[in-house]
Amino acid sequence: MTPTDYISIPTPARCYADFCLIPVGTAHASVAEEVAEVQKLLKASGLKYTMHSAGSWDEVMKVIGQAHAVVHQTGCVRVQSSMRVGTRTDKAQTAADKVKRVEEILAKDGQ
């Protein structure tokens, strides 16, 4: 791969995303309805989530983009997201696997 061949760099096979989506400029102070729409989308996407999403890079990024779209469809003209994205190539691990591992350590320590 040459230094200028950036277009052919593949995305990682799997990822997790921790994203925070904030509807901005709604007609009311509560954003519960908009957040509920995003939750419906996450459930329908088939991704495993616990307020975390995990799947292929393309699947995760698509759902985050769609989350913006469903909030825009509620009439909100501006949506802002921040996210942390991680990848791991040595093994497949879900968010639930990570939580379970920490719980096992805590149980061993009597906590």
Side-chain angles (χ1 to χ4, degrees):
M1 183 172 69
T2 66
T4 57
D5 192 17
Y6 296 114
I7 292 173
S8 65
I9 297 172
T11 59
R14 301 201 50 83
C15 73
Y16 67 88
D18 176 8
F19 76 100
C20 174
L21 184 142
I22 304 168
V24 180
T26 62
H28 40 82
S30 174
V31 295
E33 292 293 327
E34 292 82 1
V35 172
E37 287 300 316
V38 173
Q39 290 301 307
K40 291 176 192 175
L41 169 70
L42 288 172
K43 185 175 182 178
S45 74
L47 291 176
K48 293 180 181 176
Y49 71 95
T50 55
M51 298 300 162
H52 286 275
S53 297
S56 75
W57 184 275
D58 292 339
E59 290 169 331
V60 171
M61 294 304 146
K62 177 182 177 183
V63 171
I64 292 171
Q66 289 174 324
H68 274 247
V70 298
V71 172
H72 284 305
Q73 290 172 1
T74 69
C76 182
V77 297
R78 189 171 166 202
V79 179
Q80 180 176 332
S81 285
S82 59
M83 68 178 157
R84 292 179 296 164
V85 178
T87 58
R88 186 169 184 167
T89 59
D90 62 326
K91 66 178 180 177
Q93 186 180 39
T94 67
D97 293 335
K98 290 190 244 181
V99 170
K100 181 180 177 190
R101 177 68 181 123
V102 171
E103 288 173 344
E104 289 170 353
I105 292 168
L106 291 172
K108 185 175 78 174
D109 292 343
Q111 306 226 350

